[in-house]
Amino acid sequence: MEIRTKIENGKPLIFDAFRGKWVAHTPEEGVRQWFCAYLTEQKGYPKLSISTETGLKLNGCARRCDTVVYKEGSPAVLIEFKAPDVEINDNVLLQAVSYNTKLRAPYIIITNTKQLYCIRLNFAAGTHEYLNAVPEFKELKMDN
């Protein structure tokens, strides 16, 4: 997938193929477009399974997940993006985990292009494991 950019009224824009519109080209948005293209082109994720800026209520407050991948009608992967110069630390992990208390996706991915963490959660056993690679869409297990 070609990542398209342009300048309009002096502001950089990037085309979000998943939302079908031009959005502000922030560093974080650039990471999102790059990674979602990777998921569709390299890992077999159907474009229609990827939802960006997914809203949810957390402790009575409106929040937005960067991206959620759906499989079999349920959240499968919660993805949190950070700009390349933002370090992925415990606070970023806690942000993703807190969003996932509502979604209960069996996978969490966090990336800034320099760092990438993919975590498989087993809710029934109360365990998690860090994966060495992002699974292909067909390999996603929804048995939690």
Side-chain angles (χ1 to χ4, degrees), residues 84-128:
D85 64 340
V86 175
E87 180 185 355
I88 296 175
N89 58 27
D90 288 344
N91 290 335
V92 175
L93 178 60
L94 287 173
Q95 177 186 9
V97 168
S98 70
Y99 290 167
N100 205 40
T101 59
K102 293 290 184 186
L103 292 176
R104 296 188 57 82
Y107 297 85
I108 296 175
I109 296 174
I110 305 169
T111 188
N112 62 5
T113 70
K114 296 176 184 177
Q115 298 170 279
L116 182 127
Y117 296 95
C118 183
I119 305 162
R120 165 97 164 99
L121 305 168
N122 183 323
F123 294 108
T127 61
H128 68 278

Side-chain angles (χ1 to χ4, degrees), residues 16-43:
D16 183 337
F18 302 92
R19 288 181 274 182
K21 65 180 185 179
W22 291 94
V23 297
H25 188 181
T26 63
E28 184 175 305
E29 189 62 42
V31 172
R32 181 198 330 256
Q33 295 306 314
W34 164 80
F35 193 77
C36 288
Y38 164 75
L39 289 177
T40 59
E41 294 173 5
Q42 304 295 317
K43 294 294 184 173

Side-chain angles (χ1 to χ4, degrees), residues 23-77:
V23 297
H25 188 181
T26 63
E28 184 175 305
E29 189 62 42
V31 172
R32 181 198 330 256
Q33 295 306 314
W34 164 80
F35 193 77
C36 288
Y38 164 75
L39 289 177
T40 59
E41 294 173 5
Q42 304 295 317
K43 294 294 184 173
Y45 285 58
K47 186 175 170 184
L48 292 176
S49 73
I50 299 172
S51 175
T52 59
E53 299 291 329
T54 302
L56 59 89
K57 287 267 189 197
L58 188 62
N59 298 324
C61 298
R63 298 283 185 242
R64 257 191 306 224
C65 300
D66 288 338
T67 297
V68 177
V69 175
Y70 290 86
K71 185 174 184 180
E72 301 169 7
S74 297
V77 185

